[in-house]
Every structure is written in C-alpha cells, then in structure tokens.
Amino acid sequence: MTTDVTVGGGDFSLSYWVNANGSYAAFNYFDAVSIKPSDTHVNRSIGKLYTNGAPLYPTLQAYDSTDANYSTYSARALDFAGAGWHHIVWTFNTTTKATYCYVDGVVQTFTNYGGTATTPYLTARGLTYSDLTIGATWVPSNFYPGLLDEVAVFDYVLTEPQALEIFEATSSGKTADLSTMATPPVAWYR
C-alpha cells in the first residue's frame, strides 16, 4: 500500500509490528514497511528485511558508525522468519545521519554482509528519504509475504526508552493509543 506520507528533510522514526510467517527465499530483500531513499537505491530503503542465507534480519545498505565502510548491514540478534510477532523501530537523525534499529525495545548492533565487522548504528549519508509504503516497495510487484500491524511514523528520533515504551504498551495484544503520546506520530496505520 502506498501511503500519502512523505518523510524527508528532517528527523524521523518508523515503528511497526511484523510477523514473518511467509516464505522467504535466500539472499533476497523484503519490504515489510519501506521509506524510500530519494536516490531510489532499493537496498537503502529503511524498513527492509533481508535473508542472509536462511535467517531473516532487519537490514540496510549504508556506512558503518565511523562513516567509513559501506556494506549491507543486518541486525542479527533475532531470526524473524517464523518467529512470531516482533516490534521494530528505525530512527534517522538528519544532522548526524545516524540510523538506529530497535527490536522489541532493545537497540541492535549491525553486522556487515560478510559477518566480519559490527557497528552500533549506521550512517545513511547522502540520502533524503521520502514516500512511505506498507507491505511492498515502490515497485508494485515487490510484496511482503508476512503480516504487519500498528505502523507509525514520527517526525523526530525516538529514544531507546520511547521505543521500549511503545513495545511494552502494544505487546501481548494490548492496544495503545499512540495519539496520546507527548509528541504523537504524524501518521499511524492501525
């Protein structure tokens, strides 16, 4: 689903629940939720999942935290394939270009494609993000085969305590009203 949400020119966070109960071919990208980069480089889309062999991980092509080494980086703490419902938050700081990923309220460390280097966050430089899609990329034939829920976009960088607060408020079938947050999301898809 293409939304009417455009994310660009400032800080943002992307929050959603994902259940990867579908079928995932090895060495492929899957766009559960996608914020497209302005240069349309597909693998730089924030919100991607990637099968590095058999496991399915949140992934982004970017530079490491030193802004030096470009690679495909994945948060490998949890294999999402068949793992049930999990909450993901991506944050992007437009000043520092730092991109963090939180899974179930816990900040993740990224590992590069070869598994030889780790980095606490990614540097997504040279990009201006835009166009939020849910369940697919901006290419209409690239659909995500799993389940999604509670997609929300914020126009600021969520902190780790805020990511944990959203996870705890919406876990175990609880329904949280994100519009009551001190600074609510700019878009929220139940």
Side-chain angles (χ1 to χ4, degrees):
M1 165 179 127
T2 301
T3 69
D4 58 358
V5 175
T6 298
V7 179
D11 298 344
F12 69 83
S13 298
L14 175 62
S15 168
Y16 56 97
W17 282 87
V18 63
N19 184 334
N21 64 346
S23 177
Y24 303 90
F27 305 105
N28 279 288
Y29 289 93
F30 299 92
D31 289 89
V33 177
S34 178
I35 296 180
K36 176 180 83 168
S38 58
D39 65 1
T40 68
H41 188 285
V42 176
N43 300 338
R44 291 187 191 180
S45 296
I46 288 181
K48 281 194 168 301
L49 299 175
Y50 177 69
T51 51
N52 187 352
L56 183 67
Y57 304 120
T59 299
L60 182 65
Q61 276 191 351
Y63 293 87
D64 64 11
S65 58
T66 67
D67 196 21
N69 301 299
Y70 186 82
S71 185
T72 297
Y73 288 93
S74 299
R76 298 184 183 190
L78 173 70
D79 177 1
F80 280 72
W85 286 100
H86 290 278
H87 183 249
I88 299 176
V89 170
W90 289 89
T91 66
F92 177 73
N93 181 311
T94 192
T95 303
T96 65
K97 308 302 182 204
T99 305
Y100 285 88
C101 180
Y102 301 89
V103 174
D104 297 339
V106 178
V107 69
Q108 301 297 294
T109 297
F110 291 94
T111 303
N112 74 352
Y113 181 81
T116 58
T118 60
T119 182
Y121 63 89
L122 301 176
T123 305
R125 62 180 161 97
L127 305 174
T128 302
Y129 286 90
S130 63
D131 300 345
L132 172 69
T133 58
I134 300 173
T137 65
W138 60 93
V139 179
S141 61
N142 291 350
F143 290 104
Y144 170 67
L147 302 172
L148 295 165
D149 199 15
E150 300 288 334
V151 177
V153 178
F154 300 82
D155 59 359
Y156 60 96
V157 174
L158 290 167
T159 64
E160 186 168 4
Q162 289 171 316
L164 181 60
E165 177 185 358
I166 294 171
F167 164 69
E168 289 176 344
T170 57
S171 64
S172 302
K174 299 175 192 170
T175 302
D177 186 354
L178 299 182
S179 66
T180 63
M181 293 179 66
T183 308
V186 294
W188 181 26
Y189 300 92
R190 302 303 308 273

